[in-house]
């Protein structure tokens, strides 16, 4: 059964968000639940340097702007910049070996991606996670699914700057009016706005519906099967 608020959203935005050729997804909190592995890795690095550990909910509030900002938010506020960089490097090494310990796709995501792909839509991922980690996670959990994958790279400003999104559009030769951005946070809302693109926000990620509404999200979905329904008007039971 489709919830009433969702029907209202569809009716209000149908003309705007249908007929797309490309769906660009955020990774953490949108396609994959990476929170526990991120929290474990943050706390490993903090413990290594004798710093207080963080709760999973605290780490949830820290993510979204790349791992550098994640660590800056996680360490005590008085921490010297040189020490922050050491903690960051320790985090990187640990996370690289443990990024798939507890991480998994959100329930329903693989099926939703298959419907989109089967209906001729091209798919991409943009993330503030380090590029090689993004590629590794996407290839592991979603083999042969995405046409383009872009993570944090040198000379590419991280989200909410539109650089990574623009790179995908250029690589696939698709206009921004023919694409839609799907994410779970205020950073994703700003990214889509900065790229002059339509967006769909997901409530199952790191921020939740109430926060997304407060950020001004116009289209919010509550389960993955609603994404193809919004774009293709199908597969909502």
């Amino acid at each position: 059964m489709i919830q009433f608020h969702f029907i209202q959203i569809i009716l209000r935005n149908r003309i705007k968000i249908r007929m797309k050729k490309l769906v660009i997804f955020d990774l953490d909190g949108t396609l994959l639940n990476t929170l526990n592995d991120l929290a474990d890795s943050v706390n490993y690095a903090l413990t290594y340097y004798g710093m207080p550990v963080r709760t999973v909910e605290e780490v949830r509030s820290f993510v979204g702007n790349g791992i550098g900002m994640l660590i800056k938010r996680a360490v005590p506020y008085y921490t010297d910049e040189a020490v922050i960089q050491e903690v960051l490097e320790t985090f990187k090494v640990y996370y690289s070996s443990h990024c798939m310990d507890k991480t998994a796709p959100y329930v329903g995501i693989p099926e939703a991606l298959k419907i989109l792909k089967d209906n001729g839509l091209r798919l991409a991922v943009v993330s503030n996670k380090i590029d090689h980690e993004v590629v590794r996670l996407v290839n592991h959990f979603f083999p042969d699914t995405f046409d383009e994958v872009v993570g944090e790279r040198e000379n590419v400003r991280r989200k909410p700057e539109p650089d990574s999104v623009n790179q995908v559009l250029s690589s696939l030769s698709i206009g921004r009016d023919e694409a839609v951005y799907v994410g779970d946070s205020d950073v994703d809302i700003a990214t889509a706005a900065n790229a002059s693109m339509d967006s769909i926000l997901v409530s199952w990620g790191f921020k939740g519906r109430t926060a997304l509404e407060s950020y001004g999200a116009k289209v919010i979905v509550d389960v993955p099967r609603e994404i193809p329904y919004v774009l293709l008007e199908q597969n909502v039971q």
Side-chain angles (χ1 to χ4, degrees):
M1 181 67 66
I2 306 172
Q3 297 179 16
F4 179 69
H5 64 76
F6 182 68
I7 295 174
Q8 288 181 314
I9 288 171
I10 297 245
L11 293 176
R12 200 163 54 238
N13 295 280
R14 175 176 292 167
I15 294 174
K16 183 179 180 182
I17 59 181
R18 288 182 63 201
M19 307 305 293
K20 300 297 184 182
K21 295 181 179 179
L22 169 67
V23 187
I24 302 176
F25 288 90
D26 169 55
L27 185 65
D28 296 54
T30 301
L31 296 174
L32 294 177
N33 186 351
T34 58
L35 184 58
N36 287 319
D37 282 335
L38 287 170
D40 288 350
S41 300
V42 166
N43 284 333
Y44 174 86
L46 293 175
T47 301
Y48 188 87
Y49 287 91
M51 298 175 180
V53 298
R54 296 291 192 166
T55 67
V56 172
E57 289 308 306
E58 284 178 316
V59 174
R60 181 194 300 273
S61 72
F62 297 156
V63 299
N65 297 94
I67 60 173
M69 187 59 69
L70 167 62
I71 296 302
K72 285 184 179 181
R73 290 167 175 164
V75 300
Y77 74 93
Y78 53 80
T79 304
D80 182 79
E81 182 62 31
V83 177
I84 293 175
Q85 292 306 309
E86 292 179 14
V87 177
L88 175 60
E89 291 305 314
T90 300
F91 167 88
K92 287 180 181 179
V93 172
Y94 186 88
Y95 185 70
S96 180
S97 298
H98 297 273
C99 64
M100 298 182 193
D101 289 359
K102 300 174 182 176
T103 290
Y106 288 99
V107 175
I109 281 292
E111 293 80 4
L113 295 176
K114 184 176 187 304
I115 292 166
L116 294 172
K117 200 168 181 68
D118 287 349
N119 279 272
L121 285 164
R122 304 188 76 178
L123 307 179
V125 171
V126 296
S127 173
N128 280 341
K129 194 186 292 290
I130 296 174
D131 189 64
H132 69 85
E133 296 289 356
V134 179
V135 172
R136 184 155 69 105
L137 286 166
V138 169
N139 287 342
H140 177 79
F141 289 107
F142 310 108
D144 304 316
T145 299
F146 288 94
D147 299 283
E148 190 78 9
V149 178
V150 178
E152 182 179 355
R153 300 174 179 177
E154 286 188 16
N155 303 317
V156 177
R157 294 175 300 174
R158 66 175 61 91
K159 300 183 296 180
E161 298 298 336
D163 298 34
S164 54
V165 171
N166 290 338
Q167 192 169 96
V168 169
L169 295 174
S170 176
S171 177
L172 299 179
S173 300
I174 292 177
R176 63 190 69 250
D177 60 327
E178 298 174 306
V180 62
Y181 183 94
V182 181
D184 73 302
S185 72
D186 51 324
V187 172
D188 295 314
I189 294 171
T191 301
N194 290 338
S196 300
M197 284 178 54
D198 295 329
S199 61
I200 298 171
L201 278 296
V202 306
S203 67
W204 58 78
F206 294 167
K207 299 300 182 180
R209 171 174 279 277
T210 300
L212 294 175
E213 289 174 343
S214 73
Y215 301 144
K218 295 179 180 179
V219 182
I220 304 174
V221 297
D222 296 314
V223 291
R225 66 175 182 270
E226 292 177 349
I227 298 173
Y229 186 84
V230 170
L231 296 171
L232 305 167
E233 293 191 342
Q234 69 177 71
N235 199 49
V236 173
Q237 301 294 324

